[in-house]
Amino acid sequence: MKRVLVTGGAGFIGSHLSTLFLSRGWQVVCIDNFLTGKPENIDHLRRERNFRLLEQDVSKYIEFPDSVDLVLHFASPASPFDYHRYPIQTLKVGALGTHNALGLAKAKRSGFLLASTSEVYGDPQVHPQNEDYWGHVNPIGPRGVYDEAKRFAEAMTLAYHRTHGVDTKIVRIFNTYGPRMQPNDGRAIPAFIAEALNGDPLTVFGNGAQTRSFCYVDDLIEGIYRLSQSDYHGPVNIGNPNEMTILQLAEKIKEITKSLSQIVFKELPVDDPKIRRPDIARAKTILKWEPKVDLTTGLKHTIEYFKKVKQEKGVLEWQK
Ligand code: NAD
Ligand code: UDP
């Protein structure tokens, strides 16, 4: 039986990846320090014989005695709200954490896959973004702690591939959503759903004309699984090219939740990218992958999840 070690395995994407690898016959070791992830995200896995949790900070030396076939390095704050709150931890896990995870992969002679991001393209001047674009990033702005850490992580990953021959992969993830996002993590979809379900105004930043392209988590993790099993070492965009404005997104969530909430406008955060849409030609060719879940279906699943959490935890606790 093969063993995969998932850093950040108790996070939103990490918990879905752990579930997928278990269902495909792998042993899964989740490493997490619960900086932004929640123990509840892996409650459904705890009784599985082939699942193990290690509570560790991967920015420090990673202790793991047994053999490993694949390291998936997903540990990092991911929402702008979280990496503004934890700027130094974000830089450390992108730099030191990636170095440690690569060192482990080298020592175990295992594969390695880095969770990179569309943020490496910054506020892009090329549209849609393909993997050959080098990006437009402000290194000293508030988003720089995340963007530059991920750019460093990509450089380190390819250095381990070229210097030590580690079998590395890099996925550039575009905005992804679904169950197990935190209702208070500040990203647009959880924020709008929580506001709609609470009957509060939906807070759109700026005039809402900035665009994003949202991918449902089940599509994303299938793409990541395929990339992990491929022999392609360059970066690969995974995302859904269905682009919309943030105002359109807020209106869609209002419509699906049948919310009577108003939409209010707040100041646009510094360096907020104005446009974003993945060019997924590489993923289509190399992985034979493309997203299947449309926005309405994905949002309905996510809204159901949020309603359940609200019901179970109660109005006062569900966003803590
Ligand atoms: P998340 O915050 O839900 O998960 C991140 C997990 O990493 C959390 O469980 C957190 O506790 C853990 N973690 C953070 N620092 C750690 C450390 N030093 N040691 C051990 N564990 C640590 O975020 P997510 O949305 O699931 O994102 C997962 C990965 O995917 C991140 O690397 C992120 O940069 C990348 N990504 C996500 C998106 C997206 O749309 N969700 C987009 C681009 C990239
Ligand atoms: N956004 C918003 N209201 C919110 C949260 C986010 O209008 O409550 C906007 C944000 O300014 C950005 C877009 O929605 O333009 C997507 O933000 P998110 O934090 O989800 O991800 P990003 O792509 O910026 O990392």
Side-chain angles (χ1 to χ4, degrees):
M1 204 174 202
K2 288 190 176 176
R3 183 178 291 133
V4 60
L5 196 148
V6 188
T7 78
F12 159 51
I13 296 176
S15 65
H16 284 277
L17 274 175
S18 298
T19 310
L20 182 83
F21 274 82
L22 272 171
S23 76
R24 295 194 178 166
W26 292 64
Q27 283 191 359
V28 175
V29 180
C30 157
I31 302 195
D32 207 295
N33 67 349
F34 298 110
L35 180 69
T36 55
K38 287 278 177 298
E40 302 94 276
N41 284 346
I42 47 170
D43 271 352
H44 64 294
L45 302 177
R46 284 175 197 268
R47 271 197 228 109
E48 295 275 347
R49 198 163 33 94
N50 291 319
F51 179 78
R52 230 190 307 174
L53 167 70
L54 301 177
E55 201 167 332
Q56 273 186 44
D57 177 351
V58 298
S59 296
K60 300 186 180 137
Y61 185 83
I62 304 173
E63 294 280 353
F64 189 72
D66 304 332
S67 65
V68 178
D69 298 287
L70 176 63
V71 175
L72 302 176
H73 181 41
F74 278 68
S76 170
S79 94
F81 179 79
D82 285 339
Y83 54 78
H84 291 164
R85 189 152 51 138
Y86 302 116
I88 296 171
Q89 290 95 326
T90 302
L91 282 159
K92 283 174 79 173
V93 75
L96 308 178
T98 302
H99 187 209
N100 291 333
L102 279 162
L104 183 78
K106 175 173 162 253
K108 304 287 182 188
R109 297 178 196 280
S110 81
F112 176 90
L113 186 146
L114 172 72
S116 187
T117 167
S118 54
E119 282 283 323
V120 299
Y121 303 122
D123 188 8
Q125 294 176 317
V126 165
H127 195 68
Q129 295 78 53
N130 71 31
E131 293 87 346
D132 296 330
Y133 178 46
W134 292 354
H136 181 233
V137 169
N138 174 4
I140 56 166
R143 297 176 86 101
V145 296
Y146 181 68
D147 303 9
E148 296 296 8
K150 291 289 186 180
R151 288 165 70 97
F152 175 92
E154 289 199 6
M156 184 62 106
T157 299
L158 276 164
Y160 264 67
H161 174 63
R162 293 183 183 124
T163 310
H164 297 305
V166 178
D167 179 14
T168 62
K169 316 282 153 65
I170 296 174
V171 57
R172 288 186 179 154
I173 303 170
F174 283 65
N175 296 65
T176 297
Y177 69 99
R180 301 199 207 108
M181 291 184 99
Q182 296 304 313
N184 61 351
D185 89 357
R187 288 183 267 196
I189 290 185
F192 293 159
I193 295 177
E195 287 160 347
L197 295 184
N198 287 337
D200 295 333
L202 274 63
T203 52
V204 167
F205 299 157
N207 61 8
Q210 69 273 30
T211 69
R212 295 292 187 275
S213 313
F214 293 96
C215 182
Y216 189 63
V217 65
D218 288 359
D219 282 333
L220 175 86
I221 58 172
E222 179 60 36
I224 291 172
Y225 185 84
R226 289 188 193 191
L227 178 60
S228 76
Q229 304 305 298
S230 80
D231 54 10
Y232 190 76
H233 302 295
V236 178
N237 289 341
I238 300 278
N240 190 321
N242 176 24
E243 183 180 5
M244 76 205 66
T245 69
I246 293 302
L247 184 56
Q248 285 170 334
L249 173 72
E251 281 162 350
K252 181 101 191 160
I253 289 175
K254 240 175 82 85
E255 182 194 310
I256 301 177
T257 54
K258 301 192 175 68
S259 161
L260 300 174
S261 297
Q262 296 200 320
I263 293 180
V264 297
F265 296 88
K266 288 201 174 160
E267 204 179 329
L268 190 67
V270 176
D271 295 335
D272 197 290
K274 286 180 268 309
I275 43 174
R276 181 180 289 158
R277 168 157 53 104
D279 178 332
I280 58 166
R282 185 174 286 179
K284 279 185 176 167
T285 310
I286 294 172
L287 310 177
K288 307 277 175 276
W289 174 90
E290 61 184 316
K292 293 195 167 69
V293 182
D294 65 80
L295 185 71
T296 305
T297 308
L299 284 177
K300 282 185 178 165
H301 291 318
T302 313
I303 291 163
E304 280 316 305
Y305 170 80
F306 275 60
K307 279 185 178 165
K308 194 165 144 261
V309 173
K310 188 176 175 194
Q311 199 178 25
E312 282 170 6
K313 290 195 170 176
V315 185
L316 295 177
E317 292 294 320
W318 83 290
Q319 284 174 279
K320 287 190 180 154

